[in-house]
Amino acid sequence: MSLCRLIRCSLGTGPATITTIVADRTRTRVSRRSLSSARSGGRAKKPVPLTAGLCAIGDIFLLGKAQEENSRYFAKRCYELGVEMKKIEIVPEVSKDIATSVVNMSKQYDVVFTCGGTNDSDSNIIYGAVAKAFGKQLEYSTQTLERVKVKLREKGIVHPPDPHGSSEQVKKAQIALFPKGHTLKFPCSEIWNPVVCVEGNIHLFPQFPKLSEKLVDAYLPELVRELSRKHDQPFTRAFVGTWAREAVVVRDLQLRQKLYTQRKIRVGLYPNWMPSNKDTTHLKPGTTERSMVMVTFTGEDEKVVVKSKDELLEKLNGFLV
């Protein structure tokens, strides 16, 4: 797994270049997927892992005022799930730089993530940059605005964001301005911020300098599982949930660490993981509790993945998720 970091302090390519990239984007992605098939002369090709790119945004990282830690966490979780993180770019909070980075990587990799940026509600630079790169307008997400209003009411704030309210309310409402045609996912019920998906493979995480690891843990496994159903993969994955305490699960995994290494199994631990709100099958018995510990197994040998999964199911009285 190659891990490349590109730090750019100057402005990126101009709008004309970005327009050219957009025009060729679909054709480039198709040719990349069909390249191995063409080379094999129509023979069945060997499945390849999912690939990913990450655009980490923040002037504070480039100025040395803070350490960029989001990329490390993303790379770690991607590795555990059998996704190859091919490139990580750190770019300033400049619209042209963000657009160039995201568009270029969206042509090359199966998924692209953005993280970082400012949490200033009137500086919607990431969403604006991506929208402009693909020739889209920004539109308000009523679903996001409603979630924000609920959270603010819980805190006693009576003047929530409103696109049609006072100038201050309109300013605050910019936190719910996303590229037109987007889709939203709310992985964590306690976090109002959505992950915004654009162009099918670009996933925009909330604009915070320090990413919520809980948000990544809730979103990434489900995304990988969904993509794995659509594309042949060299890996087999298993997802095990348990109501056992995190410390108990950690102790059991540590005792089996050498065994997993021998089996060439990648193991991921997700404490406080929650299934989607649509999933009502996994509730703690006798309660409405949804938070659980989830363990993921990823490996090329299906038999050893299944064996490792079955052992943990029996040991921790677990269940498949």
Side-chain angles (χ1 to χ4, degrees), residues 21-39 45 105-110 201 231:
I21 290 172
V22 175
D24 292 342
R25 180 174 178 269
T26 302
R27 183 174 67 251
T28 303
R29 187 189 296 177
V30 172
S31 63
R32 181 178 75 81
R33 289 195 178 279
S34 59
L35 183 59
S36 59
S37 177
R39 287 176 176 172
K45 61 181 183 293
M105 285 195 285
S106 72
K107 295 190 304 176
Q108 302 175 59
Y109 310 125
D110 294 306
N201 74 331
H231 308 293

mmCIF file of all heavy atoms in Angstrom, residues 21-39 45 105-110 201 231:
data_model
loop_
_atom_site.group_PDB
_atom_site.id
_atom_site.type_symbol
_atom_site.label_atom_id
_atom_site.label_comp_id
_atom_site.label_asym_id
_atom_site.label_seq_id
_atom_site.Cartn_x
_atom_site.Cartn_y
_atom_site.Cartn_z
ATOM 1 N N ILE A 21 -11.046 18.758 -17.204
ATOM 2 C CA ILE A 21 -11.042 17.552 -16.374
ATOM 3 C C ILE A 21 -12.457 17.012 -16.220
ATOM 4 O O ILE A 21 -12.713 15.831 -16.370
ATOM 5 C CB ILE A 21 -10.444 17.867 -14.981
ATOM 6 C CG1 ILE A 21 -8.942 18.130 -15.109
ATOM 7 C CG2 ILE A 21 -10.662 16.706 -14.032
ATOM 8 C CD1 ILE A 21 -8.323 18.636 -13.832
ATOM 9 N N VAL A 22 -13.403 17.898 -15.972
ATOM 10 C CA VAL A 22 -14.788 17.471 -15.775
ATOM 11 C C VAL A 22 -15.336 16.830 -17.040
ATOM 12 O O VAL A 22 -16.006 15.816 -16.997
ATOM 13 C CB VAL A 22 -15.662 18.676 -15.370
ATOM 14 C CG1 VAL A 22 -17.110 18.253 -15.286
ATOM 15 C CG2 VAL A 22 -15.201 19.228 -14.030
ATOM 16 N N ALA A 23 -15.031 17.413 -18.174
ATOM 17 C CA ALA A 23 -15.563 16.895 -19.420
ATOM 18 C C ALA A 23 -15.073 15.488 -19.716
ATOM 19 O O ALA A 23 -15.772 14.677 -20.304
ATOM 20 C CB ALA A 23 -15.161 17.818 -20.576
ATOM 21 N N ASP A 24 -13.846 15.165 -19.304
ATOM 22 C CA ASP A 24 -13.263 13.868 -19.592
ATOM 23 C C ASP A 24 -13.445 12.871 -18.465
ATOM 24 O O ASP A 24 -13.016 11.738 -18.559
ATOM 25 C CB ASP A 24 -11.751 14.021 -19.855
ATOM 26 C CG ASP A 24 -11.489 14.781 -21.142
ATOM 27 O OD1 ASP A 24 -12.421 14.863 -21.949
ATOM 28 O OD2 ASP A 24 -10.367 15.286 -21.312
ATOM 29 N N ARG A 25 -14.104 13.300 -17.360
ATOM 30 C CA ARG A 25 -14.099 12.494 -16.143
ATOM 31 C C ARG A 25 -14.736 11.129 -16.330
ATOM 32 O O ARG A 25 -14.168 10.102 -15.971
ATOM 33 C CB ARG A 25 -14.840 13.266 -15.049
ATOM 34 C CG ARG A 25 -14.909 12.523 -13.734
ATOM 35 C CD ARG A 25 -15.529 13.417 -12.682
ATOM 36 N NE ARG A 25 -15.633 12.685 -11.444
ATOM 37 C CZ ARG A 25 -16.684 11.986 -11.095
ATOM 38 N NH1 ARG A 25 -17.699 11.889 -11.906
ATOM 39 N NH2 ARG A 25 -16.710 11.353 -9.928
ATOM 40 N N THR A 26 -15.917 11.077 -16.922
ATOM 41 C CA THR A 26 -16.629 9.809 -17.075
ATOM 42 C C THR A 26 -15.858 8.856 -17.969
ATOM 43 O O THR A 26 -15.702 7.688 -17.653
ATOM 44 C CB THR A 26 -18.027 10.053 -17.663
ATOM 45 O OG1 THR A 26 -18.735 10.947 -16.806
ATOM 46 C CG2 THR A 26 -18.793 8.754 -17.788
ATOM 47 N N ARG A 27 -15.328 9.373 -19.096
ATOM 48 C CA ARG A 27 -14.607 8.516 -20.014
ATOM 49 C C ARG A 27 -13.351 7.956 -19.353
ATOM 50 O O ARG A 27 -13.010 6.802 -19.526
ATOM 51 C CB ARG A 27 -14.239 9.306 -21.268
ATOM 52 C CG ARG A 27 -13.537 8.453 -22.313
ATOM 53 C CD ARG A 27 -13.308 9.199 -23.614
ATOM 54 N NE ARG A 27 -12.357 10.280 -23.493
ATOM 55 C CZ ARG A 27 -12.664 11.563 -23.532
ATOM 56 N NH1 ARG A 27 -13.920 11.936 -23.667
ATOM 57 N NH2 ARG A 27 -11.740 12.487 -23.424
ATOM 58 N N THR A 28 -12.668 8.797 -18.567
ATOM 59 C CA THR A 28 -11.443 8.348 -17.915
ATOM 60 C C THR A 28 -11.724 7.241 -16.925
ATOM 61 O O THR A 28 -11.021 6.251 -16.846
ATOM 62 C CB THR A 28 -10.768 9.533 -17.194
ATOM 63 O OG1 THR A 28 -10.530 10.566 -18.139
ATOM 64 C CG2 THR A 28 -9.451 9.092 -16.571
ATOM 65 N N ARG A 29 -12.814 7.392 -16.136
ATOM 66 C CA ARG A 29 -13.122 6.383 -15.135
ATOM 67 C C ARG A 29 -13.466 5.049 -15.785
ATOM 68 O O ARG A 29 -13.055 3.995 -15.344
ATOM 69 C CB ARG A 29 -14.273 6.844 -14.254
ATOM 70 C CG ARG A 29 -14.525 5.904 -13.085
ATOM 71 C CD ARG A 29 -15.790 6.247 -12.354
ATOM 72 N NE ARG A 29 -15.702 7.546 -11.746
ATOM 73 C CZ ARG A 29 -16.726 8.101 -11.093
ATOM 74 N NH1 ARG A 29 -17.874 7.466 -10.982
ATOM 75 N NH2 ARG A 29 -16.601 9.286 -10.551
ATOM 76 N N VAL A 30 -14.221 5.101 -16.894
ATOM 77 C CA VAL A 30 -14.603 3.873 -17.591
ATOM 78 C C VAL A 30 -13.377 3.174 -18.154
ATOM 79 O O VAL A 30 -13.219 1.970 -18.032
ATOM 80 C CB VAL A 30 -15.604 4.187 -18.722
ATOM 81 C CG1 VAL A 30 -15.836 2.943 -19.568
ATOM 82 C CG2 VAL A 30 -16.924 4.680 -18.151
ATOM 83 N N SER A 31 -12.465 3.950 -18.743
ATOM 84 C CA SER A 31 -11.279 3.334 -19.336
ATOM 85 C C SER A 31 -10.402 2.718 -18.265
ATOM 86 O O SER A 31 -9.768 1.698 -18.487
ATOM 87 C CB SER A 31 -10.490 4.378 -20.135
ATOM 88 O OG SER A 31 -10.019 5.413 -19.293
ATOM 89 N N ARG A 32 -10.374 3.330 -17.062
ATOM 90 C CA ARG A 32 -9.559 2.758 -15.997
ATOM 91 C C ARG A 32 -10.103 1.408 -15.563
ATOM 92 O O ARG A 32 -9.371 0.461 -15.317
ATOM 93 C CB ARG A 32 -9.543 3.713 -14.792
ATOM 94 C CG ARG A 32 -8.691 3.214 -13.634
ATOM 95 C CD ARG A 32 -8.685 4.233 -12.514
ATOM 96 N NE ARG A 32 -9.917 4.232 -11.787
ATOM 97 C CZ ARG A 32 -10.224 3.377 -10.833
ATOM 98 N NH1 ARG A 32 -9.384 2.419 -10.515
ATOM 99 N NH2 ARG A 32 -11.367 3.445 -10.197
ATOM 100 N N ARG A 33 -11.429 1.287 -15.493
ATOM 101 C CA ARG A 33 -12.037 0.037 -15.047
ATOM 102 C C ARG A 33 -11.899 -1.051 -16.099
ATOM 103 O O ARG A 33 -11.852 -2.230 -15.779
ATOM 104 C CB ARG A 33 -13.515 0.254 -14.732
ATOM 105 C CG ARG A 33 -13.729 1.077 -13.475
ATOM 106 C CD ARG A 33 -15.166 0.934 -13.023
ATOM 107 N NE ARG A 33 -15.388 1.666 -11.808
ATOM 108 C CZ ARG A 33 -15.058 1.212 -10.611
ATOM 109 N NH1 ARG A 33 -14.466 0.046 -10.488
ATOM 110 N NH2 ARG A 33 -15.287 1.923 -9.542
ATOM 111 N N SER A 34 -11.876 -0.655 -17.398
ATOM 112 C CA SER A 34 -11.837 -1.657 -18.456
ATOM 113 C C SER A 34 -10.418 -1.979 -18.913
ATOM 114 O O SER A 34 -10.225 -2.851 -19.753
ATOM 115 C CB SER A 34 -12.649 -1.169 -19.661
ATOM 116 O OG SER A 34 -12.117 0.049 -20.147
ATOM 117 N N LEU A 35 -9.422 -1.283 -18.374
ATOM 118 C CA LEU A 35 -8.056 -1.455 -18.829
ATOM 119 C C LEU A 35 -7.549 -2.870 -18.629
ATOM 120 O O LEU A 35 -7.002 -3.494 -19.536
ATOM 121 C CB LEU A 35 -7.142 -0.465 -18.101
ATOM 122 C CG LEU A 35 -5.667 -0.468 -18.513
ATOM 123 C CD1 LEU A 35 -5.545 -0.143 -20.008
ATOM 124 C CD2 LEU A 35 -4.874 0.529 -17.687
ATOM 125 N N SER A 36 -7.732 -3.421 -17.422
ATOM 126 C CA SER A 36 -7.219 -4.759 -17.153
ATOM 127 C C SER A 36 -7.924 -5.811 -18.002
ATOM 128 O O SER A 36 -7.328 -6.800 -18.420
ATOM 129 C CB SER A 36 -7.388 -5.097 -15.664
ATOM 130 O OG SER A 36 -8.745 -5.038 -15.297
ATOM 131 N N SER A 37 -9.226 -5.578 -18.301
ATOM 132 C CA SER A 37 -9.959 -6.518 -19.128
ATOM 133 C C SER A 37 -9.421 -6.523 -20.552
ATOM 134 O O SER A 37 -9.279 -7.568 -21.178
ATOM 135 C CB SER A 37 -11.446 -6.143 -19.134
ATOM 136 O OG SER A 37 -12.172 -7.001 -19.979
ATOM 137 N N ALA A 38 -9.093 -5.327 -21.065
ATOM 138 C CA ALA A 38 -8.562 -5.234 -22.419
ATOM 139 C C ALA A 38 -7.211 -5.928 -22.517
ATOM 140 O O ALA A 38 -6.903 -6.603 -23.493
ATOM 141 C CB ALA A 38 -8.436 -3.767 -22.824
ATOM 142 N N ARG A 39 -6.383 -5.739 -21.495
ATOM 143 C CA ARG A 39 -5.064 -6.345 -21.511
ATOM 144 C C ARG A 39 -5.125 -7.859 -21.434
ATOM 145 O O ARG A 39 -4.259 -8.566 -21.930
ATOM 146 C CB ARG A 39 -4.242 -5.802 -20.336
ATOM 147 C CG ARG A 39 -3.789 -4.356 -20.536
ATOM 148 C CD ARG A 39 -3.056 -3.853 -19.306
ATOM 149 N NE ARG A 39 -2.542 -2.503 -19.515
ATOM 150 C CZ ARG A 39 -1.990 -1.759 -18.554
ATOM 151 N NH1 ARG A 39 -1.908 -2.248 -17.321
ATOM 152 N NH2 ARG A 39 -1.524 -0.566 -18.825
ATOM 153 N N LYS A 45 -10.616 -11.458 -15.357
ATOM 154 C CA LYS A 45 -9.539 -10.738 -14.703
ATOM 155 C C LYS A 45 -9.593 -10.953 -13.190
ATOM 156 O O LYS A 45 -10.655 -11.205 -12.623
ATOM 157 C CB LYS A 45 -9.636 -9.251 -15.009
ATOM 158 C CG LYS A 45 -10.901 -8.556 -14.548
ATOM 159 C CD LYS A 45 -10.884 -7.102 -14.944
ATOM 160 C CE LYS A 45 -12.113 -6.366 -14.429
ATOM 161 N NZ LYS A 45 -13.342 -6.825 -15.057
ATOM 162 N N MET A 105 -8.617 13.165 -8.274
ATOM 163 C CA MET A 105 -8.683 11.874 -7.586
ATOM 164 C C MET A 105 -9.970 11.123 -7.904
ATOM 165 O O MET A 105 -9.978 9.889 -7.937
ATOM 166 C CB MET A 105 -8.530 12.079 -6.072
ATOM 167 C CG MET A 105 -7.095 12.394 -5.668
ATOM 168 S SD MET A 105 -6.768 12.218 -3.883
ATOM 169 C CE MET A 105 -7.570 13.679 -3.254
ATOM 170 N N SER A 106 -11.046 11.851 -8.168
ATOM 171 C CA SER A 106 -12.313 11.167 -8.470
ATOM 172 C C SER A 106 -12.230 10.408 -9.790
ATOM 173 O O SER A 106 -12.990 9.460 -10.007
ATOM 174 C CB SER A 106 -13.466 12.173 -8.512
ATOM 175 O OG SER A 106 -13.401 12.987 -9.666
ATOM 176 N N LYS A 107 -11.321 10.805 -10.680
ATOM 177 C CA LYS A 107 -11.119 10.077 -11.934
ATOM 178 C C LYS A 107 -10.305 8.808 -11.725
ATOM 179 O O LYS A 107 -10.440 7.848 -12.474
ATOM 180 C CB LYS A 107 -10.366 10.948 -12.943
ATOM 181 C CG LYS A 107 -11.106 12.178 -13.402
ATOM 182 C CD LYS A 107 -10.374 12.822 -14.561
ATOM 183 C CE LYS A 107 -8.940 13.149 -14.171
ATOM 184 N NZ LYS A 107 -8.184 13.690 -15.328
ATOM 185 N N GLN A 108 -9.441 8.832 -10.713
ATOM 186 C CA GLN A 108 -8.462 7.758 -10.557
ATOM 187 C C GLN A 108 -8.882 6.665 -9.585
ATOM 188 O O GLN A 108 -8.468 5.516 -9.736
ATOM 189 C CB GLN A 108 -7.134 8.344 -10.077
ATOM 190 C CG GLN A 108 -6.538 9.401 -11.002
ATOM 191 C CD GLN A 108 -5.293 10.017 -10.409
ATOM 192 O OE1 GLN A 108 -4.324 9.334 -10.115
ATOM 193 N NE2 GLN A 108 -5.323 11.329 -10.205
ATOM 194 N N TYR A 109 -9.685 7.012 -8.576
ATOM 195 C CA TYR A 109 -9.955 6.075 -7.489
ATOM 196 C C TYR A 109 -11.444 5.806 -7.327
ATOM 197 O O TYR A 109 -12.293 6.590 -7.745
ATOM 198 C CB TYR A 109 -9.370 6.619 -6.179
ATOM 199 C CG TYR A 109 -7.931 7.049 -6.328
ATOM 200 C CD1 TYR A 109 -7.521 8.341 -5.982
ATOM 201 C CD2 TYR A 109 -6.975 6.169 -6.847
ATOM 202 C CE1 TYR A 109 -6.206 8.736 -6.139
ATOM 203 C CE2 TYR A 109 -5.659 6.552 -7.010
ATOM 204 C CZ TYR A 109 -5.282 7.843 -6.661
ATOM 205 O OH TYR A 109 -3.984 8.231 -6.844
ATOM 206 N N ASP A 110 -11.751 4.691 -6.711
ATOM 207 C CA ASP A 110 -13.151 4.288 -6.519
ATOM 208 C C ASP A 110 -13.896 5.244 -5.587
ATOM 209 O O ASP A 110 -15.076 5.526 -5.796
ATOM 210 C CB ASP A 110 -13.221 2.865 -5.961
ATOM 211 C CG ASP A 110 -12.697 1.840 -6.955
ATOM 212 O OD1 ASP A 110 -13.183 1.815 -8.090
ATOM 213 O OD2 ASP A 110 -11.781 1.068 -6.589
ATOM 214 N N ASN A 201 -18.971 9.090 -6.251
ATOM 215 C CA ASN A 201 -17.815 8.530 -5.531
ATOM 216 C C ASN A 201 -17.069 9.546 -4.681
ATOM 217 O O ASN A 201 -15.997 9.250 -4.154
ATOM 218 C CB ASN A 201 -16.844 7.874 -6.523
ATOM 219 C CG ASN A 201 -16.055 8.880 -7.346
ATOM 220 O OD1 ASN A 201 -16.527 9.986 -7.609
ATOM 221 N ND2 ASN A 201 -14.867 8.496 -7.760
ATOM 222 N N HIS A 231 -18.843 -4.599 -6.925
ATOM 223 C CA HIS A 231 -17.612 -4.896 -7.650
ATOM 224 C C HIS A 231 -16.957 -6.142 -7.061
ATOM 225 O O HIS A 231 -16.909 -6.315 -5.839
ATOM 226 C CB HIS A 231 -16.635 -3.718 -7.561
ATOM 227 C CG HIS A 231 -17.234 -2.403 -7.961
ATOM 228 N ND1 HIS A 231 -17.621 -2.121 -9.247
ATOM 229 C CD2 HIS A 231 -17.516 -1.295 -7.238
ATOM 230 C CE1 HIS A 231 -18.112 -0.895 -9.300
ATOM 231 N NE2 HIS A 231 -18.062 -0.370 -8.086
#
